Amino acid sequence: MDLKLFGEVFVTLLVITDPPGMMPIFLALTGPLPARDRNRAAWQAVALALGVIVVFAVAGQTLLDYLHVDLPALQAAGGLLLVLVALELLTGKADDPSQQVTSNIALVPLGTPLLAGPGAIVATMLFVQQADGLGEFSAIAVAILAVMVAVWIVLRFSGGIVKILRPGGIEVLTRIAGLLLAAIAVQLIADAVAAFVTHYVNMT
């Protein structure tokens, strides 16, 4: 196994998924839920993110080519999804536990587009395209798995923070997380628009 490539992939994906930065958003979305449901949401989100990244690593370019979808379009779609979630957090619609379904929270936005977002997908696709030989492919696979395990550990044991923050702290954290999510969403959409403009300018 190529240890140097393993290190590059691991560090790159760990920075992109940003487990410490994910924690406030995870707690904002799952704070009102029972500990059992919160833990289930953590592993469901990580499992979905792993599945999405693996699918795009193996057949991402083929799938996008077949659907005639460019990467900036995928990026913009992720941004729009995050805008909807951010609005729910900022307006308080995500605070009512009766309105939350654990599996839905785990799938969107936690699993995708936050963990398995455009950044992680593109980075993985680039690493796979540049890889050559079983050793390099093995390094990429192990690095992806290691990153997902690290993310799961952070999310799984974030429950202790809920006990410290109490309901009032969770409410404040929810608003802050909504603001951060909105900023991430705007940046994703802006980057996608810039990529589209650059592409068409180069074509002309």
Side-chain angles (χ1 to χ4, degrees), residues 19-59:
M22 272 289 298
M23 191 184 297
I25 298 170
F26 176 76
L27 292 176
L29 290 169
T30 63
L33 297 175
R36 182 178 177 182
D37 288 344
R38 191 185 314 116
N39 294 338
R40 187 165 75 236
W43 76 256
Q44 284 178 340
V46 170
L48 174 67
L50 178 62
V52 170
I53 289 175
V54 168
V55 167
F56 275 94
V58 174

Side-chain angles (χ1 to χ4, degrees), residues 63-137:
L63 181 62
L64 293 179
D65 290 343
Y66 177 76
L67 296 173
H68 303 291
V69 173
D70 293 326
L71 286 174
L74 190 67
Q75 193 169 356
L80 290 174
L81 276 174
L82 290 185
V83 166
L84 295 176
V85 177
L87 288 175
E88 286 192 359
L89 292 177
L90 288 169
T91 57
K93 290 183 180 178
D95 293 344
D96 185 358
S98 65
Q99 300 298 319
Q100 301 198 44
V101 181
T102 307
S103 60
N104 289 348
I105 294 170
L107 301 181
V108 179
L110 292 176
T112 182
L114 284 176
L115 290 178
I121 289 171
V122 172
T124 304
M125 287 172 60
L126 289 176
F127 278 122
V128 170
Q129 288 171 6
Q130 296 167 3
D132 182 28
L134 182 61
E136 293 190 354
F137 285 117

